[in-house]
């Protein structure tokens, strides 16, 4: 396993369900760090991977109430590289018996650690994620784009036609969606506005300025028909989740957040067709069913949803793909307020990748932890017991199901 | 005058034979001798059934527009003019082919409109070549 590899999850099974739980949570100061990076005051130094990881880890450790010696595992996930696991363990003052490089984007890393805990490789693992994309000045398109082993062909194949970038995928999907369902840019703007509104109660969100429809429509196009406010943020930060054996988790200060289910489904052929016309629905359905079956719950039990919003359009792909609403009904669902706290499916209640923070799915899990602990101040979903998160890249879907422990 | 384009071999997967056919004025894709499916982009084994029995079959060049996207952000740092139009074409034979419109822009597009194949002279760091694009049918 390395930091960069595309993760393969351990196969979902009932026996693996609720064997491990999240017992500690730490995040860096997304909002303040973003402001500092923009302002670049004299003497400003870009945050380092080591510094960000240390901050997130210390906060998670304090949150968990555990001592350093209680942590016998370390799993590191770095999007643009970082120190080797053993070196990072030393920096964090840990001497773990289990110490791995664990990919990067969430969801894969969590099932890997849960399965390893179930297999007895460790009891309590600090999972630390860091992305320092802004610091290294990476652009998400053009000749810089990812092109290594295992990367989907759509990321590099169409350079001669000048087509690249994540945003272009979602733009191609939305043009087709508009024509199919008669949706407008204003309709899609409702998703951007909802995500921004969700940050009203999240002081750590990168973007907190209220957004009107006029603001949305006036924001520049990145790839037509998508505006700047349809696309995920780019900011630096780290997230630490401390994950422990479920039986040990019951004696800890917070309500444990149990990892109950996961699933995985990848496009095997006809990628552009599946992506643009079906919007990954077969993969959402397949992977979602695996995760729900493993967790022993049904889709209608899900009271809180965290979807990987690489763009506003892509969040609608999740909502429709999993079957929370029929294909084509997602934007009306959002406009009716059903994705807000108090609606039928509160979604990305902290602001998501689009307005909250770009932590590659990890900050979505942080919100799951707050919601299921019933500690989401100002935006708590009443009596929530079951949350579902969902990662979907352009060619694969990885949902996770979480339940509030006893 | 050849248009400058980003390198065809920026990624790991491009295939000499595809571009050789383009230079001869033909759009040829790989048809599977096992299941009959057409794979695109270029594969080593059929994307539908895994067979390696593949042959380069000429496409009719007729298709319809499935979607479009237009770059307002200059990802290629001045290499291509902005705005930059791209289209997704469903070829008569089935595959979806990502390309550029010739002689029309995104404002002229309706989804489902028929288009036909054309080649334009282009150039990248490997030299001049013919690029398959689509014009109104
Ligand atoms: Zn075949």
């Amino acid at each position: 396993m390395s930091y960069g590899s595309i993760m393969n999850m351990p196969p979902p099974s009932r026996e693996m369900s609720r064997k491990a739980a999240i017992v500690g949570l730490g995040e860096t100061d997304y909002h303040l760090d973003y402001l500092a990076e923009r302002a670049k005051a004299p003497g400003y130094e870009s945050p380092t991977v080591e510094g960000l990881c240390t901050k997130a880890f210390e906060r998670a450790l304090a949150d968990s109430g555990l001592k350093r010696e209680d942590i016998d595992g370390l799993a590191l996930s770095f999007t643009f590289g970082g120190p080797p696991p053993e070196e990072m363990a030393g920096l964090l003052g840990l001497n773990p018996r289990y110490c791995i490089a664990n990919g990067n984007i969430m969801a894969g890393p969590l099932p890997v650690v849960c399965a390893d805990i179930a297999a007895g490789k460790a009891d309590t693992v600090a999972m630390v994620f860091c992305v320092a994309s802004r610091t290294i000045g990476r652009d998400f398109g053009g000749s810089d784009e990812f092109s290594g082993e295992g990367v989907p062909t759509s990321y590099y194949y169409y350079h001669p036609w000048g087509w690249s970038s994540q945003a272009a995928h979602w733009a191609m999907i939305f043009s087709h969606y508009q024509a199919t369902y008669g949706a407008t840019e204003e309709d899609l703007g409702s998703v951007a506005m909802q995500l921004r509104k969700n940050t009203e109660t999240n002081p750590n969100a990168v973007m907190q300025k209220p957004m009107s429809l006029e603001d949305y429509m006036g924001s520049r196009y990145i790839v037509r028909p998508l505006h700047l406010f349809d696309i995920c943020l780019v900011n630096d930060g780290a997230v630490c989740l401390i994950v422990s054996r479920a039986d040990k988790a019951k004696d800890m200060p917070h309500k444990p957040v149990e990892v109950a289910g996961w699933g995985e489904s990848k496009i095997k052929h006809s990628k552009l067709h599946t992506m643009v016309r079906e919007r990954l629905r077969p993969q959402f359905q397949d992977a979602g069913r695996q995760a729900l079956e493993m967790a022993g719950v049904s889709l209608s039990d899900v009271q809180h949803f965290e979807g990987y919003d690489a763009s506003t359009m892509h969040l609608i792909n999740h909502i429709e793909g999993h079957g929370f609403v029929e294909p084509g009904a997602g934007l009306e669902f959002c406009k009716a307020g059903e994705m807000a706290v108090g609606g039928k499916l509160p979604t990305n209640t902290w602001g998501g990748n689009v307005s909250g923070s770009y932590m590659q799915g990890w900050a979505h899990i942080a919100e799951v932890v707050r919601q299921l602990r019933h500690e989401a101040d100002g935006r708590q979903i009443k009596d929530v017991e079951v949350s579902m998160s969902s990662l979907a890249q352009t060619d694969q879907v990885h949902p996770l199901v979480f339940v509030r422990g006893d | 005058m050849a248009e400058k384009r980003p390198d065809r071999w920026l990624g790991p997967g491009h295939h000499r034979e595809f571009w050789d056919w383009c230079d001869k004025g033909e759009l040829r894709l790989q048809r599977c001798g096992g299941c009959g499916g057409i794979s695109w982009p270029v594969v080593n084994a059929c994307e539908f059934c895994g067979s390696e029995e593949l042959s380069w079959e000429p496409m009719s060049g007729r298709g319809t527009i499935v979607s479009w996207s237009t770059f307002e952000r200059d990802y290629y740092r001045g290499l291509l003019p902005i705005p930059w139009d791209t289209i997704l074409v469903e070829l008569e034979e089935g595959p979806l082919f990502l390309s550029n419109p010739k002689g029309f822009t995104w404002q002229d597009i309706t989804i489902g409109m028929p288009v036909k194949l054309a080649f334009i002279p282009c150039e990248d760091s490997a030299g001049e070549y013919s690029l398959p694009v689509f014009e109104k049918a």
Side-chain angles (χ1 to χ4, degrees), chain A residues 18 255-258 260 297 301-304 368 371-374 380-388 401-406:
Chain A
R18 303 175 75 160
K255 277 281 178 197
V257 171
E258 297 182 342
V297 300
D301 294 326
V302 174
Q303 296 156 290
H304 167 220
V368 165
Q371 288 288 354
L372 289 181
R373 285 177 174 181
H374 297 174
Q380 181 62 50
I381 301 160
K382 195 168 180 298
D383 300 332
V384 60
E385 299 278 335
V386 179
S387 293
M388 183 174 182
V401 176
F402 301 86
V403 297
R404 177 176 161 89
D406 305 321

Side-chain angles (χ1 to χ4, degrees), chain A residues 133-144:
Chain A
S133 46
R134 182 165 278 277
T135 304
I136 66 167
R138 170 179 264 285
D139 205 349
F140 287 82
S143 309
D144 280 1

